[in-house]
Amino acid sequence: MKPQRKIIHIDMDAFFAAVEQRDFPQYRGKPLIVGGSPDKRGVVATCSYEARKFGVHSAMSSARAFKLCPQAIVVSPRFEVYRQASEIIRSIFYQYTELVEPLSLDEAYLDLTHCSECDGSATLIAQEIKEKIYKATGLTASAGVSYNKFLAKVASDMNKPDGITVIRPEQGERFVETLVVGKFYGIGKATEARMHALGIKTGADIKRLKMHELQTAFGNSANYYFNICRAIDQREVIACRERKSLGCETTYENDLNNINDMKQSLTQLIEKVCRELKEKELAGYTITLKVKYDNFEQITRSKTETRLLFTERDIQEVVNILLQRTDVGHRKVRLLGITVSNFADSQAENEMQQLTLF
Ligand code: TTP
Ligand code: MG
């Protein structure tokens, strides 16, 4: 059986407006609209939380927004600045996993099922990511932590701004039962209105309908609604970035003292890496050995071969050579890790790039 997944969804708070308030202190604490100008038939891209109190929201005409909140400051978007902030945020996500699926500049899903940071606690990782984002960009984000994409996404919106919401496996179904349909991701305004007309207000109301009734009322979306109201969502987090490396590491509960234990542990790591390489049909030219000694000093040793490495024997051979360039066997060790990188295609790309330089 597959392990229970750990998915988080991170979404920046009032993203464009927060960037403007960060860069221009005179906008802070004020209703601020980022978007087109009211006299040029512009629309609101987003607005600060101060403006939301007046009923202003994204995609509304700026003219209407200005009527609702005449004291609002209106500024044009600066996409380049938002893109820069977005890049920083994504680089923080990639510190935890390669399985990052950005949905837009300001939000992404992360699959942390196999992430060992923070003792594997997705909640602690989400908290840490929020803190890192704030430190690096001066902006706040909200996070949803759960066991599938649907719940994580809905959860990230529950405690905005600067919030974190966790929905545990045993809470999922009950949570969706009480959720009003307008809050369901994938149910837009038009569907919401149709559901209301049919007396469907919450997840529990959808659940009462049989599959054929859902099909009659909602056609192709029936299956999605049927599953979602039971908190079932099997969609994977789809990584958009090409994988650059694949590695495994173990932090030991008790520091390893004995060279045989270390070698045995490395053999297990190599087996695991090879299994994953095979699964993902990858092979690399470079092996990196990571060692953290008992005093937390960390070193890495790498070796690049001219042939592709993917078998346990070949990788073991390189690791044995790398081991000689460490103090393994003489000092206690609290972590060992092995990474394979420089994959077949990226090498070809590098060579191409080198060629085109001449
Ligand atoms: P959102 O995450 O939907 O909104 P937000 O970050 O401004 O506010 P919230 O705290 O509710 O998450 O969108 C992210 C950015 O995308 C937003 O700052 C501006 C832009 N955007 C548009 O340009 N047009 C739109 O219709 C929407 C919804 C967003
Ligand atoms: Mg947002």
Side-chain angles (χ1 to χ4, degrees), residues 14 17 21 27 29-34 44 46-58 60 65-66 68-74:
Q21 288 183 323
Y27 300 156
K30 305 234 167 82
L32 176 72
I33 292 171
V34 182
V44 176
T46 193
C47 61
S48 65
Y49 279 70
E50 293 84 355
R52 292 183 195 196
K53 286 187 204 138
F54 295 84
V56 179
H57 59 73
S58 292
M60 166 185 277
F66 209 58
L68 290 171
C69 182
Q71 68 272 48
I73 304 162
V74 184

Side-chain angles (χ1 to χ4, degrees), residues 10-15 46 49 52 104 106-107 160:
I10 308 261
D11 188 303
M12 302 299 293
D13 303 318
F15 186 45
T46 193
Y49 279 70
R52 292 183 195 196
S104 69
D106 93 320
E107 61 179 311
K160 268 182 168 291

Side-chain angles (χ1 to χ4, degrees), residues 288-303:
T288 302
L289 170 68
K290 178 157 127 187
V291 182
K292 200 187 270 182
Y293 298 111
D294 59 343
N295 65 348
F296 284 84
E297 182 196 346
Q298 183 172 301
I299 57 150
T300 55
R301 299 285 181 262
S302 294
K303 187 162 175 17

Side-chain angles (χ1 to χ4, degrees), residues 130-289:
K130 273 164 51 57
E131 282 160 18
K132 283 190 186 178
I133 288 177
Y134 187 72
K135 255 195 181 155
T137 66
L139 302 168
T140 62
S142 294
V145 182
S146 198
Y147 56 96
N148 64 42
K149 284 166 96 170
F150 175 79
L151 290 173
K153 169 98 182 163
V154 177
S156 73
D157 207 36
M158 307 278 306
N159 260 316
K160 268 182 168 291
D162 201 14
I164 180 162
T165 303
V166 183
I167 302 174
R168 296 180 198 291
E170 64 274 16
Q171 301 169 319
E173 205 165 342
R174 178 86 194 108
F175 173 84
V176 181
E177 279 175 9
T178 54
L179 192 68
V180 294
V181 292
K183 291 262 180 198
F184 275 59
Y185 181 57
I187 295 186
K189 283 270 169 261
T191 310
E192 183 188 4
R194 274 183 53 216
M195 286 191 168
H196 282 173
L198 294 167
I200 303 168
K201 295 251 162 23
T202 63
D205 295 335
I206 304 179
K207 209 170 177 178
R208 271 191 278 278
L209 299 176
K210 303 240 163 30
M211 185 55 154
H212 69 89
E213 292 171 315
L214 281 170
Q215 272 163 345
T216 310
F218 306 107
N220 287 340
S221 306
N223 209 17
Y224 178 70
Y225 298 153
F226 185 88
N227 284 324
I228 277 323
C229 70
R230 292 168 174 77
I232 297 169
D233 179 9
Q234 310 280 19
R235 289 172 304 154
E236 304 274 337
V237 172
I238 315 252
C240 73
R241 187 168 86 157
E242 205 186 317
R243 184 182 269 280
K244 296 267 190 316
S245 68
L246 189 155
C248 288
E249 61 181 47
T250 308
T251 303
Y252 305 103
E253 239 168 73
N254 301 309
D255 296 342
L256 297 188
N257 205 357
N258 171 316
I259 182 76
N260 287 330
D261 292 346
M262 298 178 196
K263 285 198 167 155
Q264 198 185 345
S265 177
L266 281 171
T267 304
Q268 283 169 1
L269 287 171
I270 291 169
E271 282 169 9
K272 198 165 167 212
V273 166
C274 285
R275 260 200 313 275
E276 283 199 34
L277 284 174
K278 195 166 169 211
E279 222 172 75
K280 301 189 165 75
E281 298 181 352
L282 291 169
Y285 290 93
T286 303
I287 306 292
T288 302
L289 170 68

Side-chain angles (χ1 to χ4, degrees), residues 1-27:
M1 212 179 92
K2 281 194 169 177
Q4 182 80 259
R5 292 187 298 160
K6 295 176 196 168
I7 312 285
I8 65 175
H9 178 259
I10 308 261
D11 188 303
M12 302 299 293
D13 303 318
F15 186 45
F16 293 3
V19 171
E20 298 306 327
Q21 288 183 323
R22 174 194 70 184
D23 294 348
F24 300 94
Q26 64 270 33
Y27 300 156

